[in-house]
Amino acid sequence: MDMFIRDATEADLPAIVDIYNQSIPAGWSTADTQPITVADRLDWFRKFDPARRPIWVAEVDGQIAATAYLSSFYGGRAAYDATAEVSLYIATAFQRRGIGRQFKQWVIAECPRLGVTTLLSMHFDHNEATRRINESLGFQPLGHLTEIALVQGTKRGLVISALRIPPKPETP
Ligand SMILES: CC(C)(COP(=O)(O)OP(=O)(O)OC[C@H]1O[C@@H](n2cnc3c(N)ncnc32)[C@H](O)[C@@H]1OP(=O)(O)O)[C@@H](O)C(=O)NCCC(=O)NCCS
Protein backbone atom coordinates (compact mmCIF):
# COMPACT_ATOMS: atom_id res chain seq x y z
CA MET A 1 0.00 0.00 0.00
CA ASP A 2 1.34 3.38 -1.04
CA MET A 3 0.43 6.00 1.63
CA PHE A 4 1.42 9.66 1.42
CA ILE A 5 0.63 12.02 4.33
CA ARG A 6 0.66 15.80 3.86
CA ASP A 7 -0.77 18.99 5.35
CA ALA A 8 -4.35 19.47 4.18
CA THR A 9 -5.28 22.44 2.01
CA GLU A 10 -8.67 24.12 1.73
CA ALA A 11 -9.21 22.20 -1.52
CA ASP A 12 -9.21 19.00 0.57
CA LEU A 13 -12.07 20.19 2.79
CA PRO A 14 -14.89 18.49 0.79
CA ALA A 15 -13.04 15.16 1.09
CA ILE A 16 -12.38 15.74 4.81
CA VAL A 17 -16.06 16.53 5.44
CA ASP A 18 -17.11 13.50 3.43
CA ILE A 19 -14.81 11.17 5.41
CA TYR A 20 -16.09 12.64 8.67
CA ASN A 21 -19.72 12.20 7.62
CA GLN A 22 -19.07 8.57 6.72
CA SER A 23 -18.32 7.89 10.38
CA ILE A 24 -21.65 9.18 11.73
CA PRO A 25 -24.06 6.34 10.83
CA ALA A 26 -22.00 3.64 12.60
CA GLY A 27 -22.53 5.50 15.87
CA TRP A 28 -19.19 4.67 17.50
CA SER A 29 -16.92 7.47 16.41
CA THR A 30 -18.34 10.93 16.72
CA ALA A 31 -20.79 12.71 18.94
CA ASP A 32 -22.25 14.44 15.88
CA THR A 33 -25.50 12.81 14.86
CA GLN A 34 -26.21 14.82 11.68
CA PRO A 35 -23.93 15.26 8.66
CA ILE A 36 -21.79 18.38 8.61
CA THR A 37 -21.21 20.58 5.55
CA VAL A 38 -18.18 22.26 4.03
CA ALA A 39 -19.67 25.66 4.94
CA ASP A 40 -20.02 24.50 8.59
CA ARG A 41 -16.34 23.62 8.68
CA LEU A 42 -14.64 26.44 6.80
CA ASP A 43 -13.84 28.61 9.86
CA TRP A 44 -12.85 25.49 11.79
CA PHE A 45 -10.45 24.49 9.00
CA ARG A 46 -8.84 27.94 8.78
CA LYS A 47 -7.84 27.85 12.46
CA PHE A 48 -5.44 24.92 11.96
CA ASP A 49 -1.77 25.82 11.98
CA PRO A 50 0.77 23.50 10.31
CA ALA A 51 3.44 24.63 12.81
CA ARG A 52 1.43 23.86 15.95
CA ARG A 53 -2.00 22.32 15.39
CA PRO A 54 -2.00 20.76 11.94
CA ILE A 55 -4.61 18.94 9.93
CA TRP A 56 -3.31 16.27 7.59
CA VAL A 57 -4.69 14.05 4.90
CA ALA A 58 -3.41 10.64 3.86
CA GLU A 59 -3.51 9.73 0.20
CA VAL A 60 -3.63 6.05 -0.61
CA ASP A 61 -3.29 5.03 -4.24
CA GLY A 62 -3.83 8.69 -5.18
CA GLN A 63 -7.11 9.04 -3.25
CA ILE A 64 -7.72 10.93 0.01
CA ALA A 65 -8.34 8.02 2.34
CA ALA A 66 -8.03 9.57 5.80
CA THR A 67 -7.64 12.73 7.80
CA ALA A 68 -6.08 13.44 11.18
CA TYR A 69 -5.74 16.63 13.14
CA LEU A 70 -4.58 18.04 16.45
CA SER A 71 -6.79 20.24 18.60
CA SER A 72 -5.79 22.30 21.60
CA PHE A 73 -7.05 20.98 24.90
CA TYR A 74 -9.55 22.75 27.14
CA GLY A 75 -10.11 25.79 24.97
CA GLY A 76 -6.41 26.30 24.35
CA ARG A 77 -5.57 27.77 27.77
CA ALA A 78 -1.82 28.51 27.92
CA ALA A 79 -0.96 25.95 30.61
CA TYR A 80 -2.10 23.23 28.20
CA ASP A 81 0.08 24.39 25.29
CA ALA A 82 2.04 21.12 25.20
CA THR A 83 -1.14 19.02 25.27
CA ALA A 84 -3.17 18.25 22.17
CA GLU A 85 -5.98 15.92 21.25
CA VAL A 86 -5.61 13.75 18.17
CA SER A 87 -8.60 12.95 15.97
CA LEU A 88 -8.41 10.40 13.20
CA TYR A 89 -10.92 9.45 10.52
CA ILE A 90 -10.46 6.82 7.84
CA ALA A 91 -12.86 6.64 4.88
CA THR A 92 -15.08 3.58 5.23
CA ALA A 93 -13.68 1.93 2.10
CA PHE A 94 -10.13 2.17 3.52
CA GLN A 95 -10.81 0.93 7.06
CA ARG A 96 -9.30 -2.26 8.50
CA ARG A 97 -6.21 -2.05 6.29
CA GLY A 98 -3.82 -0.79 8.96
CA ILE A 99 -4.10 2.85 7.87
CA GLY A 100 -5.45 4.04 11.23
CA ARG A 101 -2.55 2.62 13.23
CA GLN A 102 0.05 3.76 10.70
CA PHE A 103 -1.40 7.30 10.51
CA LYS A 104 -1.55 7.67 14.32
CA GLN A 105 2.03 6.45 14.60
CA TRP A 106 3.02 9.13 12.09
CA VAL A 107 1.14 11.80 14.11
CA ILE A 108 3.04 10.74 17.26
CA ALA A 109 6.34 11.10 15.42
CA GLU A 110 5.38 14.67 14.45
CA CYS A 111 4.59 15.70 18.05
CA PRO A 112 8.11 16.76 19.21
CA ARG A 113 8.36 19.15 16.25
CA LEU A 114 4.95 20.60 17.19
CA GLY A 115 5.83 21.02 20.87
CA VAL A 116 3.31 18.40 21.98
CA THR A 117 4.44 16.24 24.92
CA THR A 118 1.03 14.89 25.94
CA LEU A 119 -1.14 13.51 23.20
CA LEU A 120 -4.74 12.82 24.20
CA SER A 121 -7.14 10.48 22.50
CA MET A 122 -10.79 10.65 23.44
CA HIS A 123 -13.13 8.00 22.13
CA PHE A 124 -16.41 6.32 22.90
CA ASP A 125 -15.96 3.30 25.12
CA HIS A 126 -17.40 1.01 22.43
CA ASN A 127 -14.87 2.19 19.81
CA GLU A 128 -12.90 -1.06 19.74
CA ALA A 129 -10.63 -0.10 16.84
CA THR A 130 -9.38 3.07 18.55
CA ARG A 131 -8.92 1.19 21.83
CA ARG A 132 -6.75 -1.38 20.05
CA ILE A 133 -4.69 1.19 18.21
CA ASN A 134 -4.10 3.25 21.35
CA GLU A 135 -3.14 0.23 23.41
CA SER A 136 -0.60 -0.92 20.81
CA LEU A 137 0.95 2.55 20.58
CA GLY A 138 1.40 2.95 24.33
CA PHE A 139 -1.49 5.26 25.28
CA GLN A 140 -2.58 4.90 28.90
CA PRO A 141 -6.29 5.14 29.68
CA LEU A 142 -6.58 7.90 32.30
CA GLY A 143 -10.27 8.42 32.57
CA HIS A 144 -13.62 6.93 31.74
CA LEU A 145 -16.64 9.21 31.80
CA THR A 146 -19.42 6.68 31.82
CA GLU A 147 -22.80 7.24 30.19
CA ILE A 148 -22.23 10.85 29.15
CA ALA A 149 -23.46 10.65 25.56
CA LEU A 150 -26.66 9.47 23.97
CA VAL A 151 -25.85 7.90 20.61
CA GLN A 152 -28.63 6.42 18.53
CA GLY A 153 -30.72 5.96 21.68
CA THR A 154 -27.99 4.24 23.72
CA LYS A 155 -25.97 5.81 26.54
CA ARG A 156 -22.25 5.71 25.81
CA GLY A 157 -19.15 6.59 27.80
CA LEU A 158 -16.00 8.44 26.83
CA VAL A 159 -12.50 7.06 27.40
CA ILE A 160 -9.66 9.57 27.71
CA SER A 161 -6.21 8.15 27.02
CA ALA A 162 -2.85 9.86 26.98
CA LEU A 163 0.54 9.21 25.47
CA ARG A 164 3.56 10.99 26.97
CA ILE A 165 6.07 11.98 24.31
CA PRO A 166 9.62 13.12 25.11
CA PRO A 167 10.19 16.76 24.09
CA LYS A 168 12.45 17.67 21.19
CA PRO A 169 16.01 18.08 22.54
CA GLU A 170 17.09 21.75 22.86
CA THR A 171 19.60 22.81 20.22
CA PRO A 172 22.61 24.55 21.83
C1 LIG B 1 -11.09 3.94 14.33
C2 LIG B 1 -10.37 3.99 12.99
C3 LIG B 1 -9.51 5.24 12.93
C4 LIG B 1 -9.48 2.75 12.87
O1 LIG B 1 -8.76 2.82 11.66
P1 LIG B 1 -8.50 1.54 10.74
O2 LIG B 1 -7.54 1.93 9.70
O3 LIG B 1 -9.78 0.97 10.32
O4 LIG B 1 -7.82 0.56 11.81
P2 LIG B 1 -6.62 -0.46 11.58
O5 LIG B 1 -6.83 -1.18 10.29
O6 LIG B 1 -5.32 0.26 11.78
O7 LIG B 1 -6.89 -1.51 12.75
C5 LIG B 1 -6.49 -1.32 14.08
C6 LIG B 1 -7.06 -2.44 14.93
O8 LIG B 1 -8.47 -2.21 15.12
C7 LIG B 1 -9.21 -3.33 14.65
N1 LIG B 1 -10.44 -2.83 14.03
C8 LIG B 1 -10.55 -2.02 12.96
N2 LIG B 1 -11.83 -1.76 12.72
C9 LIG B 1 -12.54 -2.41 13.66
C10 LIG B 1 -13.92 -2.52 13.95
N3 LIG B 1 -14.83 -1.91 13.18
N4 LIG B 1 -14.30 -3.28 15.01
C11 LIG B 1 -13.38 -3.90 15.78
N5 LIG B 1 -12.05 -3.81 15.57
C12 LIG B 1 -11.65 -3.09 14.51
C13 LIG B 1 -8.32 -4.01 13.64
O9 LIG B 1 -8.67 -5.36 13.50
C14 LIG B 1 -6.95 -3.82 14.28
O10 LIG B 1 -6.82 -4.76 15.33
P3 LIG B 1 -5.40 -5.37 15.85
O11 LIG B 1 -5.00 -4.50 17.00
O12 LIG B 1 -5.74 -6.74 16.25
O13 LIG B 1 -4.43 -5.28 14.71
C15 LIG B 1 -11.36 3.94 11.80
O14 LIG B 1 -12.19 2.83 11.95
C16 LIG B 1 -12.22 5.18 11.71
O15 LIG B 1 -11.82 6.17 11.11
N6 LIG B 1 -13.40 5.12 12.32
C17 LIG B 1 -14.31 6.25 12.28
C18 LIG B 1 -13.78 7.46 13.04
C19 LIG B 1 -13.26 7.16 14.45
O16 LIG B 1 -13.77 6.34 15.18
N7 LIG B 1 -12.20 7.87 14.82
C20 LIG B 1 -11.62 7.74 16.17
C21 LIG B 1 -12.19 8.73 17.11
S1 LIG B 1 -11.54 10.35 16.77
Side-chain angles (χ1 to χ4, degrees):
M1 183 180 61
D2 192 12
M3 176 153 111
F4 171 61
I5 299 171
R6 59 170 173 80
D7 286 315
T9 69
E10 220 162 279
D12 299 317
L13 191 54
I16 291 168
V17 164
D18 182 43
I19 291 170
Y20 185 86
N21 284 337
Q22 289 177 28
S23 73
I24 297 175
W28 49 269
S29 315
T30 168
D32 272 318
T33 53
Q34 297 299 321
I36 55 163
T37 66
V38 169
D40 289 336
R41 283 298 167 114
L42 201 52
D43 287 346
W44 168 86
F45 182 86
R46 288 177 178 167
K47 289 191 185 105
F48 285 102
D49 169 7
R52 233 185 123 251
R53 298 290 185 259
I55 178 163
W56 299 279
V57 288
E59 292 182 19
V60 175
D61 303 332
Q63 253 184 291
I64 296 182
T67 183
Y69 50 89
L70 294 187
S71 316
S72 293
F73 178 65
Y74 220 159
R77 292 171 172 88
Y80 295 114
D81 267 359
T83 297
E85 178 189 350
V86 55
S87 301
L88 176 62
Y89 292 88
I90 317 297
T92 315
F94 288 91
Q95 288 179 7
R96 304 198 90 147
R97 288 165 58 175
I99 295 172
R101 180 174 282 122
Q102 209 180 313
F103 202 167
K104 200 171 243 183
Q105 218 159 10
W106 188 90
V107 169
I108 293 165
E110 287 290 286
C111 282
R113 173 180 77 77
L114 301 166
V116 172
T117 55
T118 299
L119 188 63
L120 297 178
S121 170
M122 304 196 195
H123 62 87
F124 284 138
D125 50 14
H126 61 304
N127 188 333
E128 180 64 16
T130 300
R131 191 192 64 72
R132 279 172 177 267
I133 290 174
N134 286 352
E135 196 175 82
S136 69
L137 296 179
F139 283 77
Q140 299 292 321
L142 298 183
H144 186 187
L145 310 181
T146 56
E147 299 190 350
I148 62 157
L150 187 65
V151 185
Q152 299 177 355
T154 303
K155 284 183 184 168
R156 301 296 192 181
L158 181 76
V159 172
I160 304 171
S161 298
L163 180 72
R164 309 295 182 182
I165 300 165
K168 191 175 165 188
E170 301 262 329
T171 42

